Amino acid sequence: MTIVETIYDAQKNAHEIEKVTDTHGKFSIPEAYGYQAELIDRFVAEGSVISGYKMGLTSREKMVQMGIDAPIHGVLLEEMLVKDGKLCYDKLIHPKAEPEVAVKMKQDVPAGATIEQLEAAIGWIAPAIEIIDSRFLDFKFTMADVVADNCSSSGYAVGQWVQWPAPGVDLDDIHVAISVNGEEKASGRSDAVLGSQMASLYELHQALTQEGKQLKAGQVILTGAVTAAFRIFPGDVVSNTTDKIGTVTFQ
Ligand code: OOG
Ligand code: MG
């Protein structure tokens, strides 16, 4: 099987695989994004719908946890959204949860938009939890592997959307805390993500522009985990409690 077929199969059937850089030989980061795009094209051809994008490895905590010190981006599909606060574990291998801030665009963002234009295109923000589930054994990978695996994307839960701009809320001063079964695992501030949420969004926008894509009205962006990620199991109650924009919980 090709690299894309191997990862597609692992995602579809929720089974662990060896790193594709081991089984198929090394490849570059641009090639890895090419494989990611091919993988997403396959899902879209089957009826999946792109709901947005995510940035990853944007905080120090995550870079240290995964041993990779450069941000990456991946694609969110509608079917990844956790509905009614209920996460289905059937298609998950060894999932982890991480606290994030989500933004939703109210208008399309043209290529070459400035950071100010980008911020003006945000319609809402919300507390979020990303559920990541690397297809690679023991959740270990190189940057090329994880990019090809659509950056471990597998699920995301979003709380109540808050209209943006929101009086008294600074995008970079939102305190988030992740808890599992009522026990706080970690907390941090939203500026942990590349020093500012807008820096993360702008980096995503620039990367998409280079790929000939753009952020569109209605799309959701996860700007990256503020803290490390924590292993979760069926039945766990997982929350991201923020100080300014509410809470999101799933089980
Ligand atoms: C890669 C995805 C990282 C984040 O928010 O940092 C990510 C991984 O850790 O498996 O989504
Ligand atoms: Mg994430």
Short mmCIF file of all heavy atoms in Angstrom, two decimals, residues 210-245:
data_model
loop_
_atom_site.label_atom_id
_atom_site.label_comp_id
_atom_site.label_asym_id
_atom_site.label_seq_id
_atom_site.Cartn_x
_atom_site.Cartn_y
_atom_site.Cartn_z
N GLN A 210 -0.60 29.52 0.67
CA GLN A 210 0.43 28.86 -0.14
C GLN A 210 -0.08 27.61 -0.83
O GLN A 210 0.40 27.23 -1.89
CB GLN A 210 1.62 28.48 0.75
CG GLN A 210 2.54 29.65 0.97
CD GLN A 210 3.86 29.23 1.59
OE1 GLN A 210 4.06 28.06 1.93
NE2 GLN A 210 4.75 30.18 1.75
N GLU A 211 -1.07 26.96 -0.18
CA GLU A 211 -1.65 25.75 -0.76
C GLU A 211 -2.79 26.08 -1.72
O GLU A 211 -3.47 25.18 -2.22
CB GLU A 211 -2.19 24.83 0.36
CG GLU A 211 -1.09 24.26 1.25
CD GLU A 211 -1.66 23.61 2.53
OE1 GLU A 211 -2.87 23.33 2.59
OE2 GLU A 211 -0.86 23.40 3.45
N GLY A 212 -3.03 27.39 -1.91
CA GLY A 212 -4.10 27.81 -2.82
C GLY A 212 -5.49 27.66 -2.19
O GLY A 212 -6.49 27.58 -2.89
N LYS A 213 -5.53 27.62 -0.85
CA LYS A 213 -6.83 27.50 -0.16
C LYS A 213 -7.09 28.76 0.63
O LYS A 213 -6.20 29.60 0.78
CB LYS A 213 -6.79 26.30 0.81
CG LYS A 213 -6.53 24.98 0.14
CD LYS A 213 -6.45 23.88 1.17
CE LYS A 213 -5.86 22.62 0.61
NZ LYS A 213 -5.02 21.92 1.59
N GLN A 214 -8.29 28.87 1.19
CA GLN A 214 -8.59 30.03 2.02
C GLN A 214 -9.57 29.64 3.13
O GLN A 214 -10.30 28.65 3.01
CB GLN A 214 -9.18 31.16 1.18
CG GLN A 214 -10.51 30.80 0.56
CD GLN A 214 -11.13 31.95 -0.24
OE1 GLN A 214 -11.55 31.76 -1.36
NE2 GLN A 214 -11.20 33.13 0.35
N LEU A 215 -9.56 30.45 4.18
CA LEU A 215 -10.53 30.25 5.26
C LEU A 215 -11.86 30.79 4.77
O LEU A 215 -11.92 31.87 4.19
CB LEU A 215 -10.08 31.00 6.52
CG LEU A 215 -8.84 30.42 7.21
CD1 LEU A 215 -8.35 31.37 8.30
CD2 LEU A 215 -9.17 29.07 7.81
N LYS A 216 -12.91 30.03 5.05
CA LYS A 216 -14.23 30.44 4.54
C LYS A 216 -15.21 30.69 5.69
O LYS A 216 -15.07 30.13 6.78
CB LYS A 216 -14.80 29.34 3.65
CG LYS A 216 -13.92 29.02 2.45
CD LYS A 216 -14.77 28.56 1.27
CE LYS A 216 -13.91 28.19 0.08
NZ LYS A 216 -13.49 26.80 0.08
N ALA A 217 -16.23 31.48 5.41
CA ALA A 217 -17.27 31.77 6.39
C ALA A 217 -17.83 30.46 6.94
O ALA A 217 -18.09 29.53 6.17
CB ALA A 217 -18.38 32.59 5.74
N GLY A 218 -17.97 30.39 8.25
CA GLY A 218 -18.55 29.20 8.87
C GLY A 218 -17.51 28.17 9.30
O GLY A 218 -17.82 27.26 10.07
N GLN A 219 -16.29 28.32 8.81
CA GLN A 219 -15.27 27.33 9.19
C GLN A 219 -14.77 27.58 10.61
O GLN A 219 -14.70 28.71 11.09
CB GLN A 219 -14.11 27.36 8.19
CG GLN A 219 -14.49 26.68 6.89
CD GLN A 219 -13.36 26.63 5.88
OE1 GLN A 219 -12.43 27.43 5.92
NE2 GLN A 219 -13.46 25.70 4.95
N VAL A 220 -14.41 26.47 11.25
CA VAL A 220 -13.94 26.49 12.63
C VAL A 220 -12.43 26.25 12.64
O VAL A 220 -11.94 25.40 11.90
CB VAL A 220 -14.64 25.37 13.44
CG1 VAL A 220 -14.05 25.23 14.83
CG2 VAL A 220 -16.14 25.64 13.51
N ILE A 221 -11.72 27.01 13.45
CA ILE A 221 -10.27 26.80 13.56
C ILE A 221 -9.91 26.55 15.00
O ILE A 221 -10.29 27.31 15.90
CB ILE A 221 -9.48 28.02 13.03
CG1 ILE A 221 -9.72 28.19 11.53
CG2 ILE A 221 -7.98 27.84 13.26
CD1 ILE A 221 -10.78 29.17 11.21
N LEU A 222 -9.19 25.47 15.23
CA LEU A 222 -8.60 25.21 16.54
C LEU A 222 -7.18 25.74 16.46
O LEU A 222 -6.41 25.33 15.58
CB LEU A 222 -8.58 23.71 16.84
CG LEU A 222 -9.92 22.98 16.88
CD1 LEU A 222 -9.70 21.49 17.17
CD2 LEU A 222 -10.83 23.58 17.96
N THR A 223 -6.83 26.64 17.38
CA THR A 223 -5.55 27.34 17.25
C THR A 223 -4.38 26.59 17.90
O THR A 223 -3.25 27.01 17.77
CB THR A 223 -5.65 28.75 17.87
OG1 THR A 223 -6.14 28.62 19.20
CG2 THR A 223 -6.57 29.64 17.05
N GLY A 224 -4.68 25.49 18.59
CA GLY A 224 -3.60 24.68 19.16
C GLY A 224 -3.77 24.50 20.65
O GLY A 224 -4.34 25.35 21.34
N ALA A 225 -3.27 23.37 21.14
CA ALA A 225 -3.42 23.05 22.56
C ALA A 225 -2.60 24.01 23.41
O ALA A 225 -1.44 24.29 23.11
CB ALA A 225 -2.97 21.62 22.82
N VAL A 226 -3.22 24.49 24.49
CA VAL A 226 -2.54 25.40 25.41
C VAL A 226 -1.65 24.60 26.36
O VAL A 226 -0.59 25.06 26.77
CB VAL A 226 -3.60 26.21 26.20
CG1 VAL A 226 -2.96 27.03 27.30
CG2 VAL A 226 -4.40 27.10 25.24
N THR A 227 -2.09 23.39 26.71
CA THR A 227 -1.33 22.53 27.63
C THR A 227 -0.98 21.22 26.90
O THR A 227 -1.36 21.03 25.75
CB THR A 227 -2.16 22.18 28.88
OG1 THR A 227 -3.18 21.22 28.51
CG2 THR A 227 -2.82 23.40 29.49
N ALA A 228 -0.32 20.33 27.60
CA ALA A 228 -0.09 18.98 27.08
C ALA A 228 -1.45 18.28 26.92
O ALA A 228 -2.47 18.79 27.39
CB ALA A 228 0.80 18.20 28.03
N ALA A 229 -1.44 17.13 26.27
CA ALA A 229 -2.66 16.34 26.07
C ALA A 229 -2.69 15.18 27.06
O ALA A 229 -1.64 14.70 27.48
CB ALA A 229 -2.71 15.81 24.64
N PHE A 230 -3.91 14.73 27.41
CA PHE A 230 -4.07 13.67 28.41
C PHE A 230 -4.89 12.52 27.86
O PHE A 230 -5.93 12.73 27.23
CB PHE A 230 -4.71 14.25 29.68
CG PHE A 230 -3.83 15.29 30.30
CD1 PHE A 230 -3.93 16.63 29.92
CD2 PHE A 230 -2.83 14.93 31.19
CE1 PHE A 230 -3.07 17.59 30.44
CE2 PHE A 230 -1.96 15.88 31.72
CZ PHE A 230 -2.08 17.21 31.35
N ARG A 231 -4.45 11.33 28.14
CA ARG A 231 -5.12 10.10 27.69
C ARG A 231 -6.52 10.04 28.29
O ARG A 231 -6.69 10.30 29.49
CB ARG A 231 -4.26 8.91 28.17
CG ARG A 231 -4.72 7.57 27.69
CD ARG A 231 -4.34 7.33 26.24
NE ARG A 231 -4.60 5.91 25.96
CZ ARG A 231 -5.79 5.44 25.59
NH1 ARG A 231 -6.83 6.23 25.45
NH2 ARG A 231 -5.92 4.14 25.34
N ILE A 232 -7.49 9.68 27.46
CA ILE A 232 -8.87 9.55 27.93
C ILE A 232 -9.42 8.17 27.57
O ILE A 232 -8.96 7.54 26.60
CB ILE A 232 -9.79 10.66 27.37
CG1 ILE A 232 -9.71 10.73 25.83
CG2 ILE A 232 -9.46 12.00 27.99
CD1 ILE A 232 -10.78 11.61 25.20
N PHE A 233 -10.40 7.72 28.36
CA PHE A 233 -10.97 6.38 28.20
C PHE A 233 -12.49 6.47 28.19
O PHE A 233 -13.06 7.42 28.75
CB PHE A 233 -10.49 5.48 29.34
CG PHE A 233 -9.00 5.31 29.37
CD1 PHE A 233 -8.20 6.19 30.11
CD2 PHE A 233 -8.38 4.30 28.63
CE1 PHE A 233 -6.81 6.04 30.11
CE2 PHE A 233 -7.00 4.16 28.64
CZ PHE A 233 -6.22 5.03 29.37
N PRO A 234 -13.16 5.47 27.58
CA PRO A 234 -14.62 5.50 27.54
C PRO A 234 -15.21 5.72 28.94
O PRO A 234 -14.75 5.11 29.90
CB PRO A 234 -15.00 4.12 27.00
CG PRO A 234 -13.81 3.71 26.18
CD PRO A 234 -12.62 4.29 26.89
N GLY A 235 -16.18 6.61 29.01
CA GLY A 235 -16.82 6.90 30.30
C GLY A 235 -16.25 8.12 30.98
O GLY A 235 -16.92 8.72 31.83
N ASP A 236 -15.02 8.52 30.63
CA ASP A 236 -14.42 9.70 31.26
C ASP A 236 -15.25 10.95 30.96
O ASP A 236 -15.71 11.13 29.83
CB ASP A 236 -13.00 9.95 30.73
CG ASP A 236 -11.97 9.00 31.35
OD1 ASP A 236 -12.31 8.32 32.34
OD2 ASP A 236 -10.84 8.95 30.82
N VAL A 237 -15.38 11.80 31.96
CA VAL A 237 -16.01 13.11 31.75
C VAL A 237 -14.87 14.12 31.59
O VAL A 237 -14.04 14.27 32.49
CB VAL A 237 -16.91 13.50 32.94
CG1 VAL A 237 -17.50 14.89 32.72
CG2 VAL A 237 -18.01 12.47 33.12
N VAL A 238 -14.82 14.75 30.42
CA VAL A 238 -13.68 15.62 30.10
C VAL A 238 -14.18 17.05 29.91
O VAL A 238 -15.15 17.27 29.18
CB VAL A 238 -13.00 15.13 28.80
CG1 VAL A 238 -11.75 15.94 28.50
CG2 VAL A 238 -12.67 13.64 28.88
N SER A 239 -13.54 18.00 30.59
CA SER A 239 -13.98 19.40 30.48
C SER A 239 -12.81 20.34 30.22
O SER A 239 -11.69 20.09 30.67
CB SER A 239 -14.63 19.88 31.79
OG SER A 239 -15.72 19.08 32.13
N ASN A 240 -13.12 21.41 29.51
CA ASN A 240 -12.22 22.56 29.44
C ASN A 240 -12.98 23.72 30.04
O ASN A 240 -13.98 24.18 29.48
CB ASN A 240 -11.83 22.85 27.98
CG ASN A 240 -11.02 24.14 27.84
OD1 ASN A 240 -10.62 24.74 28.84
ND2 ASN A 240 -10.80 24.56 26.60
N THR A 241 -12.53 24.16 31.21
CA THR A 241 -13.20 25.24 31.93
C THR A 241 -12.39 26.51 31.74
O THR A 241 -11.20 26.54 32.08
CB THR A 241 -13.30 24.90 33.43
OG1 THR A 241 -13.92 23.61 33.56
CG2 THR A 241 -14.10 25.94 34.19
N THR A 242 -13.02 27.54 31.18
CA THR A 242 -12.31 28.80 30.99
C THR A 242 -12.83 29.84 31.96
O THR A 242 -13.91 29.67 32.55
CB THR A 242 -12.47 29.35 29.55
OG1 THR A 242 -13.77 29.95 29.42
CG2 THR A 242 -12.31 28.25 28.50
N ASP A 243 -12.07 30.91 32.14
CA ASP A 243 -12.51 31.96 33.06
C ASP A 243 -13.43 32.98 32.39
O ASP A 243 -14.13 33.71 33.06
CB ASP A 243 -11.30 32.66 33.71
CG ASP A 243 -10.36 33.30 32.69
OD1 ASP A 243 -10.50 33.03 31.48
OD2 ASP A 243 -9.47 34.06 33.10
N LYS A 244 -13.41 33.05 31.04
CA LYS A 244 -14.16 34.14 30.38
C LYS A 244 -15.18 33.71 29.34
O LYS A 244 -16.09 34.46 29.03
CB LYS A 244 -13.18 35.10 29.73
CG LYS A 244 -12.22 35.73 30.73
CD LYS A 244 -11.48 36.92 30.14
CE LYS A 244 -10.52 37.52 31.15
NZ LYS A 244 -9.29 36.72 31.30
N ILE A 245 -15.00 32.51 28.78
CA ILE A 245 -15.90 32.15 27.65
C ILE A 245 -16.62 30.82 27.90
O ILE A 245 -17.05 30.17 26.95
CB ILE A 245 -15.16 32.16 26.29
CG1 ILE A 245 -13.92 31.24 26.31
CG2 ILE A 245 -14.76 33.58 25.90
CD1 ILE A 245 -13.31 30.99 24.94
#
